[in-house]
Amino acid sequence: MAKIEDLIAQIPDERLKKAIVAEVRELKKNKKFGLVFEEHLPETVRLPKMPVKEGELVAKKRESGNELWRVKSIRKGIATLEKAIEGYPKPSEDGIQAPVAELVVVRSFGDPIYPALMPVDRVERGGPDKPWHMLINADNFHALQLLLYAYEGKVDAIYIDPPYNSGARDWKYNNDYVDKSDSFRHSKWLSMMKKRLLLAKRLLRKDGVLIITIDENELHHLGVLLESLFPNSLRHMVTIVINPKGAGKKNFARTEEHALFCVPNNGQSLVNANFIKDLSRVGLTQELLQEEEDEELERNDVSAADEPLELPHDLTPDDLPFPIEELDQWELRHARRRGNESSYRHQRKNQFYPIYIDVKTHTVEDIGDSIPLDEEPSFKKKNGFTPVWPIDKEGNQRCWRFVPSSMRSLLDDGRLVVGRQDSVTGRWTLNYWVLKNKTTKVKTVWWNTRHDAGTHGTSMLHKILGRRDAFPFPKSLYAVRDTLLTVVGDKPNALILDFFAGSGTTLHATALINAQLGGSRRCILVSYNEPGEKAAKKLHKQGFFLGDPAFEAVGVSESVTWPRIKFVTNGKRDDGTVLKGTYIDLDGDPKGLRWADGFDENLEYFRLDFLDPDEVARGDSFKAIVPILWMVAACRGEREDSKGSTPWFIPKHSPFAVLIQEKQFRAFREKLAERKDIEWVFLITDSEENFSQMRRTLGRKYECHQLYKSYLENFRINTQDALKG
Ligand SMILES: C[S@@+](CC[C@H](N)C(=O)[O-])C[C@H]1O[C@@H](n2cnc3c(N)ncnc32)[C@H](O)[C@@H]1O
């Protein structure tokens, strides 16, 4: 018996005992298993480019941490400050003065800000047909929100390698390094991760996969967090030996870290081992695994053979829920269960319900609810649509393969289709599209020398950048490549995101996969520009702070991420030094591509800046949002600038168009007709009604977006909504 029950049993007063028992019962109902942490720790961001004005929340540049002030007034470059947080600092410190030059504007997460992508540098080596990879220098909380505007539900794989929170001051929370002595260390980390993962989840496609690498410091906390954030995903853990020699001061020498995979549980395998050619080397097995249990039954079932899978009409590309080129990767399956076991109504009572079809257009229109076992199915039409029940030729009541909610998501995905009509019974069959079974599976422990982070991470980075200790603990290029291969090896146009980019290994690995397998996989990296603690301290002493060019120059994205991806793409450093080395091939052969050959890829580097809408002239604000529109249009074609002073803007090389002067809609349409490649159209109007009307006129050919005339308002981020995820 639990302790509480023991104690209750000792209460002599029966009435009191009964009352307490009832209360405890209620309390137990509310108690749920899960992670308990202080998730309301506020997070702030410093915005060095924003002007310090009266009323602004500020911090002192020289101070680390989160001591905040409100600017009461400014006179001759000196600001008078008052405490910004109740009770702290002490009221007596109110009215203190500080030079404006020593202050930096701060925003709490939840206070809106206006982002703009500022181009910094680019590399063009992939030719006009390859989309552009991006590096965004920003705090990822802000970058993720901006990315949501462009890529909600569009990302195939997110690979992140967040700070491991080892207590070694390896990351910052509210402008302060988190160390071992911080009693909120784990809460801060979980709170930081949760905010970002909630946004990341929205970016993933329905079949998109999230991969997070981690070591023992936060592995278990992260596992429980993922369980609560991704309850419908399968969670797998791959252990990768990254340091065969072992590290650690006491008891054990750790050799491994882990990659947690969150894979949608949609009835099909999304991990494909076939793209890692040297299967035995990375611990894969060729062994064919059993298919789903009821598929086995189906093969033994004579009645299934009588009902070949057939569509009632010729297929056109419009009928398919995937591009026609991928047809050979998909197959049709019966939507009704077959076989002798687990396929009858009484065995799966929630899987007997009507599916409504339009018999003229041969389309599935609606999914009904399961009916109780004692209720007979109704064959009455609903809204003109014919109900189809899972009843076989002999009239036996069977069941559908899935419960109504799963069937509805198949319908939403366009994967549920009408099959043929039985000429005798008049009954329709229903089928669904499924990716062909991937029978080879990837084992969960990888032990291969090419995953050694020392040789293929730290030393490789040294050879690329030409300097030691540029970045702590970069991943082995091949560990990242092999991890990505499992989920995007068979997706030549996959969109991959890494928002804890560090030294940029993920983009390097993406380019290598494209080079080794062919394809135009695209990678977006986000990395903030915090330098390491030692370098930052030195610069602070010299009077340089975040936002100052001298400080920014030594930050991670500026001094490591961008140079690394630029040099490996060009095959040489900026000073002309040719990179010496060879990539290990997919079959494990170290005689593969030469580093010096670089990659046929296009890259663009942006800094995420925050604009003050009051200070930005109209033309400048249009110019500031154009890169965001280009990003929405899948970063295709060389990016062009515009100040928005013409009636419309249709860049020569990118597949998007912007109507700037609403009155010119008719002429704009004519222009659009001349450009067959346009897929995205942005219509600038403050009227929802006009937008809907223009959108209707343009038809379904384009993905249309409404933009408000005060351009920056369109991309306002950091609002309370973002915190809800
Ligand atoms: C463990 S490292 C990633 C290493 C990377 N996988 C590699 O191979 O080089 C984590 C990175 O996330 C960055 N980071 C931490 N917090 C961030 C944030 N809020 N926004 C953007 N980047 C952040 C750190 O600067 C660090 O470079």
Side-chain angles (χ1 to χ4, degrees), residues 138-140 161-163 196 471 474-475 499-505 527-528 556:
D139 186 296
N140 50 21
D161 175 26
R196 281 135 181 108
F471 184 81
K475 290 261 166 297
F499 54 87
F500 284 103
S503 70
T505 317
S527 167
Y528 66 16
V556 178

Side-chain angles (χ1 to χ4, degrees), residues 135-140 143 471 498-504 525-530 555-558 560-562 605-606:
L135 164 63
I136 305 175
N137 166 356
D139 186 296
N140 50 21
F471 184 81
D498 180 350
F499 54 87
F500 284 103
S503 70
L525 296 183
V526 180
S527 167
Y528 66 16
N529 205 27
E530 284 291 340
V556 178
S557 42
E558 196 70 22
V560 181
T561 330
W562 178 247
Y605 175 25
F606 295 93

